[in-house]
Amino acid sequence: MSATNVRLPSVLTPLPRPRSVLFAPGNRADLVAKLPRSGPDAVVIDLEDAIPAAPEAKAAARPVARDAARDLIVAAPHLSVFVRVNALHSPYFEDDLGVLTPELAGVVIPKLESAQDAEQVAAALQARGLNLPLLAGLETGAGVWNAREIMAHPAVAWAYFGAEDYTTDLGGARTPGGLEVLYARSQVALAARLCGVPALDIVVTALHDEAVFREDAGLGRALGYSGKLCIHPAQVALAHDIFGATPAQLARAEALLAAAHEAAARGHGAFSFEGQMVDEPMLAAARAVLAQRPESTQPEHP
């Protein structure tokens, strides 16, 4: 089956640019029920890393995760709910698919390594009558190397970079400065930009260190990531602060685009704003700022 055979309608991508995606273990219904409290843009019920890699533990988690996902969707219909299954080539993947339902916002697939992997996952979902978009995990050397072709697959709607698994795969070690993953982190962000896919940045394992999170998230935003994977509720507000637009930024973007609209109406192609000559990259940046405004429609400006 070619990579063009599995296509998903655009209505299946309700979460264009998440700022935060909060995880909870699939075997902890109590923690899943609490996920909406911190106000994340999306949540993931995890059957992979959060569950011990043992057949009996994986099997026990599946019915808990399925019921918890169903209850959460009913209790918080505004929230985008995902399930992360185990990797395609793991012994748990096929059975994990039984947890998925059409009401989910999508399915998180860890450790994708090629477009063929994405195609195989999409075909497996369709065989079960599920047209769920994929949040692709790029967290191995092969996954990073093939990031562009993976994200170009029509079933992939979002992606994330997993630094911990990537470093392990390469036989390296994580350091506080993160220099060992900077190349791969940048490659995933670049591939995401070229494919028009929002990319989510690496987790911060220092759960109670706000300064560390802010510094790491600031670098992720500077590299071009649209949001952050969060593994503690306290990280959600920090991610929104770093990856969301401030009221001042929104107001300035609105004013700039309004000035551009007025200049165009007068027949002026070039104009100045706040002492700067305006060009198309500035206008594109302003539109990108307004696109971060939650539950809003971008105004009709050029």
Side-chain angles (χ1 to χ4, degrees):
M1 185 180 291
S2 71
T4 58
N5 285 342
V6 179
R7 293 196 176 274
L8 299 173
S10 59
V11 295
L12 292 177
T13 56
L15 189 68
R17 292 180 62 85
R19 300 162 298 171
S20 63
V21 177
L22 180 61
F23 283 68
N27 61 352
R28 291 289 304 275
D30 57 328
L31 296 182
V32 171
K34 295 176 182 178
L35 283 170
R37 294 184 182 180
S38 56
D41 288 339
V43 299
V44 176
I45 301 170
D46 191 15
L47 292 173
E48 193 214 12
D49 287 343
I51 308 300
E56 60 276 11
K58 298 291 188 183
R62 291 185 190 112
V64 177
R66 185 182 179 94
D67 290 347
R70 178 201 61 205
D71 293 344
L72 185 58
I73 290 168
V74 172
H78 63 285
L79 188 61
S80 293
V81 179
F82 292 75
V83 168
R84 180 162 73 172
V85 298
N86 285 272
L88 170 65
H89 300 296
S90 76
Y92 312 114
F93 173 76
E94 285 293 338
D95 287 338
D96 284 352
L97 297 185
V99 175
L100 307 178
T101 64
E103 294 78 20
L104 292 167
V107 55
V108 183
I109 308 293
K111 301 179 179 65
L112 284 176
E113 296 196 323
S114 66
Q116 289 73 30
D117 280 358
E119 179 70 13
Q120 190 173 339
V121 170
L125 292 173
Q126 287 205 336
R128 291 173 174 260
L130 297 168
N131 280 336
L132 294 174
L134 310 184
L135 199 171
L138 307 177
E139 40 196 339
T140 65
V144 171
W145 186 262
N146 296 317
R148 187 174 179 183
E149 70 173 57
I150 293 170
M151 283 187 265
H153 191 283
V156 174
W158 314 271
Y160 72 88
F161 173 54
E164 312 302 324
D165 284 308
Y166 170 82
T167 307
T168 300
D169 185 51
L170 265 63
R174 294 288 276 125
T175 66
L179 187 61
E180 70 284 352
V181 297
L182 179 59
Y183 172 79
R185 198 176 179 185
S186 302
Q187 283 289 97
V188 171
L190 175 59
R193 173 65 185 86
L194 293 174
C195 295
V197 172
L200 294 155
D201 194 28
I202 62 178
V203 301
V204 173
T205 57
L207 299 182
H208 304 291
D209 195 323
E210 179 177 335
V212 169
F213 187 92
R214 285 187 176 277
E215 181 178 2
D216 191 78
L219 175 57
R221 175 155 189 174
L223 290 174
Y225 283 88
S226 66
K228 196 78 166 164
L229 301 180
C230 300
I231 54 175
H232 190 278
Q235 294 178 337
V236 171
L238 300 177
H240 290 183
D241 187 31
I242 300 296
F243 290 96
T246 66
Q249 290 170 328
L250 290 169
R252 186 181 186 278
E254 274 278 20
L256 174 56
L257 292 176
H261 182 69
E262 184 178 337
R266 296 198 308 265
H268 299 314
F271 69 100
S272 65
F273 180 79
E274 296 181 347
Q276 286 184 291
M277 185 58 64
V278 175
D279 56 11
E280 181 53 36
M282 288 180 63
L283 296 176
R287 295 187 194 101
V289 168
L290 292 184
Q292 298 174 43
R293 191 167 45 189
E295 299 181 4
S296 65
T297 303
Q298 183 174 323
E300 295 293 332
H301 293 312

